[in-house]
Amino acid sequence: MKILQGLTTFRLTMLALLVHGVAAWFSVGWHHPDEHYQLIEFTYAITGEKNASTLPMEFAAEMRPSIQVWLTFAILKCAGFLQLTNPFILAFLLRLFTAVLCIVSSLQLQRALSFTYAHLQRTHLILLLFAWCLVYLHVRYSSETWSAALFVLGISMLLMKKQGFWTGLILGLSFAFRFQMGFALVGVGVYLLLQRTSAKYLFWLCAGGLLSIGFVSWLDSVFYGNLVFTPYTYFYQNIVNKVAAGFGVSPWYWYFSQTVEQLIPPFSLMVVAGFVLLLLQPAYRLIGCAALFFVLAHSAVGHKELRFIFPMLFFAPLAAIIAWQWVYERLNKATYKKLWNGMARLFVPVNAVALLIILFKPAHELAHVYKFTYQLPAGSTLYYIGQNPFMSGNNEATFYKKKDLTVLPFTQYKPTTNTYVLTEEPVVPTIPNAKPMLVYTSIPDWLYAFNFNNWIGRSNQYMIYEVSHD
């Protein structure tokens, strides 16, 4: 921490780009299937390679915004002109592009905020750029991340009193990428009204927001092939038809308990306390109001997933700093120094270990299986025992599947050349007159030396055997 405290903002930014670049490279796959199937796979609807019956039900229901799908399509097309066709390189570029946007928005937030104490200001920047949970979010090519990054930019522009039209345009795009951001925007609106913001500024703010929403509605209509207003269809399907509730419901306090657990106590307790303190600080009340409305609205909805509140994690460093400032102002210098050093000794190694894990661990457990099968000889056949690795429900991960690879259940096994068998059990498949040879395993042998409490036995394992016949 002391080394980072001594670096200039420019050097911190360069180091952050390097760290995020490594994370973007190794964080293959997705955190949630929506990150892939409703963005990258949706681009096949634009190219005509897939129809509604082979896409997630959200396509037929016309309930997902298409702006990020069009963005994905444009990036992949540009990469195609450069002769980049490897899906893993293309997905890396999408994650890297996202990381750069998040770093830019983080730096803008740092510029927009005012801090009473210099050491806390620098610590806030370091947390924005290097906190393990934020680095992980920054490289997720998801609607949550893009919506959050744009919202942070819009909030920064509000705090710096930038021109209302462009601020509204950015905030409107934040809503267009993920409709749930509307809850936070309601909080922003309530704050601006209570602050008696000028009618002229509010007019231009709304004009920019409505223009961006109108533009995105046009994109949606082109994407789905008819006039559609996706915020309404999204609400109708998930709330009126209760589609979201079909995925399970959780108690109202679930987000609170999960935040405390997942962000690792005692640091998570500081974050939660800090979000409350934001409402009591005039300089940060705008962010506090946005977070309050966002979390309360999500808590009122029965179906809950931790990723739904990921956008507010972009403000977690600020919440932690405000909580720490509250402590700082109530302790004498000697006591505070001991507490500061103690927390640093605790946080730095915890964050370093967590950061190393997310830097090199794939986001999706099947990612390396996809990489291996993509390198198989032309015309290969992969038989699977258990689940089809390329299927998630009724949806196929076409993007990562080699076009000339045939994937069939093991019950249809026939001896051919270039034959492989995928199994999720650590048992060699029995094949008459054949010699299966292990060519891929998701858990290498050396890890078994660290199989404490049999964690490997409780983990998903994938083994691929090359089969040769006598």
Side-chain angles (χ1 to χ4, degrees):
M1 184 71 78
K2 288 183 179 180
I3 295 176
L4 294 181
Q5 287 279 6
L7 294 178
T8 64
T9 299
F10 175 78
R11 289 182 176 178
L12 282 174
T13 303
M14 292 300 102
L15 181 59
L17 286 170
L18 175 61
V19 170
H20 282 71
V22 172
W25 179 261
F26 287 102
S27 193
V28 189
W30 53 84
H31 174 82
H32 187 276
D34 285 2
E35 187 179 327
H36 174 77
Y37 289 100
Q38 297 186 28
L39 291 176
I40 295 178
E41 294 292 333
F42 262 32
T43 60
Y44 291 111
I46 299 176
T47 62
E49 296 177 63
K50 280 190 173 184
N51 55 43
S53 64
T54 58
L55 288 169
M57 58 79 60
E58 286 84 353
F59 181 81
E62 300 179 349
M63 59 184 287
R64 286 288 181 180
S66 65
I67 182 170
Q68 196 168 355
V69 181
W70 286 106
L71 176 65
T72 308
F73 175 73
I75 294 174
L76 296 184
K77 273 292 184 183
C78 290
F81 286 127
L82 299 175
Q83 303 300 312
L84 296 175
T85 58
N86 185 297
F88 302 97
I89 298 296
L90 296 176
F92 162 69
L93 293 176
L94 294 175
R95 293 191 296 270
L96 185 64
F97 191 17
T98 304
V100 172
L101 172 65
C102 290
I103 290 174
V104 170
S105 66
S106 298
L107 293 174
Q108 283 297 101
L109 180 64
Q110 178 75 5
R111 287 181 56 202
L113 294 173
S114 58
F115 294 86
T116 307
Y117 307 102
H119 73 290
L120 294 183
Q121 180 179 21
R122 177 47 61 99
T123 301
H124 176 256
L125 177 60
I126 292 171
L127 292 177
L128 277 177
L129 298 178
F130 301 103
W132 68 270
C133 55
L134 285 178
V135 174
Y136 179 75
L137 293 184
H138 289 172
V139 298
R140 300 267 58 80
Y141 188 70
S142 66
S143 60
E144 291 90 357
T145 297
W146 272 77
S147 178
L150 291 169
F151 183 74
V152 169
L153 281 176
I155 288 294
S156 302
M157 294 170 73
L158 271 177
L159 292 171
M160 292 188 288
K161 297 180 171 56
K162 296 291 185 179
Q163 211 279 336
F165 176 79
W166 296 108
T167 302
L169 193 72
I170 296 298
L171 291 174
L173 287 175
S174 172
F175 170 78
F177 272 82
R178 187 161 182 82
F179 301 139
Q180 289 90 334
M181 194 56 73
F183 298 135
L185 292 174
V186 170
V188 171
V190 169
Y191 170 84
L192 294 176
L193 290 174
L194 292 177
Q195 291 295 111
R196 298 181 179 179
T197 306
S198 70
K200 181 180 178 181
Y201 187 83
L202 290 176
F203 170 80
W204 286 111
L205 196 68
C206 292
L210 290 174
L211 179 63
S212 61
I213 293 172
F215 171 70
V216 170
S217 295
W218 173 75
L219 285 178
D220 291 342
S221 298
V222 174
F223 180 71
Y224 289 110
N226 58 271
L227 187 63
V228 61
F229 188 58
T230 48
Y232 170 74
T233 56
Y234 187 88
F235 170 82
Y236 183 82
Q237 291 292 336
N238 280 321
I239 305 302
V240 178
N241 285 349
K242 299 181 180 180
V243 171
F247 294 99
V249 297
S250 302
W252 65 269
Y253 56 82
W254 189 83
Y255 285 121
F256 172 78
S257 61
Q258 285 295 302
T259 299
V260 171
E261 177 184 336
Q262 298 296 327
L263 290 185
I264 309 173
F267 318 115
S268 56
L269 296 174
M270 291 181 59
V271 171
V272 173
F275 271 111
V276 175
L277 292 174
L278 288 177
L279 291 167
L280 306 178
Q281 300 278 346
Y284 313 118
R285 194 167 290 150
L286 168 62
I287 297 173
C289 283
L292 177 66
F293 277 78
F294 187 84
V295 174
L296 286 181
H298 277 82
S299 298
V301 177
H303 178 60
K304 298 175 177 64
E305 295 181 33
L306 197 59
R307 67 187 176 100
F308 291 167
I309 61 167
F310 277 177
M312 290 303 109
L313 284 182
F314 282 63
F315 299 111
L318 175 63
I321 291 300
I322 295 306
W324 191 256
Q325 180 176 304
W326 186 90
V327 173
Y328 176 68
E329 293 174 342
R330 284 158 179 78
L331 296 178
N332 60 56
K333 191 173 183 179
T335 304
Y336 172 76
K337 186 175 181 180
K338 290 181 181 178
L339 185 60
W340 172 268
N341 290 335
M343 286 294 287
R345 291 191 185 100
L346 181 62
F347 175 77
V348 171
V350 169
N351 188 72
V353 171
L355 185 59
L356 282 173
I357 292 173
I358 67 101
L359 278 181
F360 299 105
K361 183 179 181 295
H364 183 46
E365 59 188 12
L366 283 167
H368 286 166
V369 172
Y370 295 159
K371 274 192 169 184
F372 182 85
T373 58
Y374 194 79
Q375 298 168 358
L376 293 179
S380 294
T381 301
L382 177 70
Y383 293 95
Y384 58 88
I385 300 174
Q387 300 295 318
N388 186 334
F390 292 96
M391 298 297 293
S392 177
N394 295 322
N395 306 312
E396 185 178 28
T398 309
F399 183 72
Y400 291 111
K401 181 183 173 185
K402 197 174 183 182
K403 293 187 183 299
D404 60 4
L405 176 67
T406 301
V407 181
L408 297 170
F410 187 67
T411 54
Q412 299 181 21
Y413 182 85
K414 293 180 180 179
T416 59
T417 57
N418 299 326
T419 303
Y420 299 84
V421 175
L422 168 70
T423 176
E424 299 176 30
E425 299 294 334
V427 178
V428 180
T430 302
I431 305 173
N433 303 317
K435 297 178 180 178
M437 181 177 66
L438 184 66
V439 291
Y440 170 83
T441 177
S442 58
I443 300 180
D445 291 341
W446 63 267
L447 266 181
Y448 282 85
F450 304 93
N451 188 24
F452 306 115
N453 199 27
N454 193 33
W455 66 268
I456 291 179
R458 297 189 300 274
S459 303
N460 291 331
Q461 303 179 57
Y462 300 95
M463 281 127 315
I464 297 177
Y465 293 84
E466 182 178 8
V467 182
S468 60
H469 289 266
D470 295 335

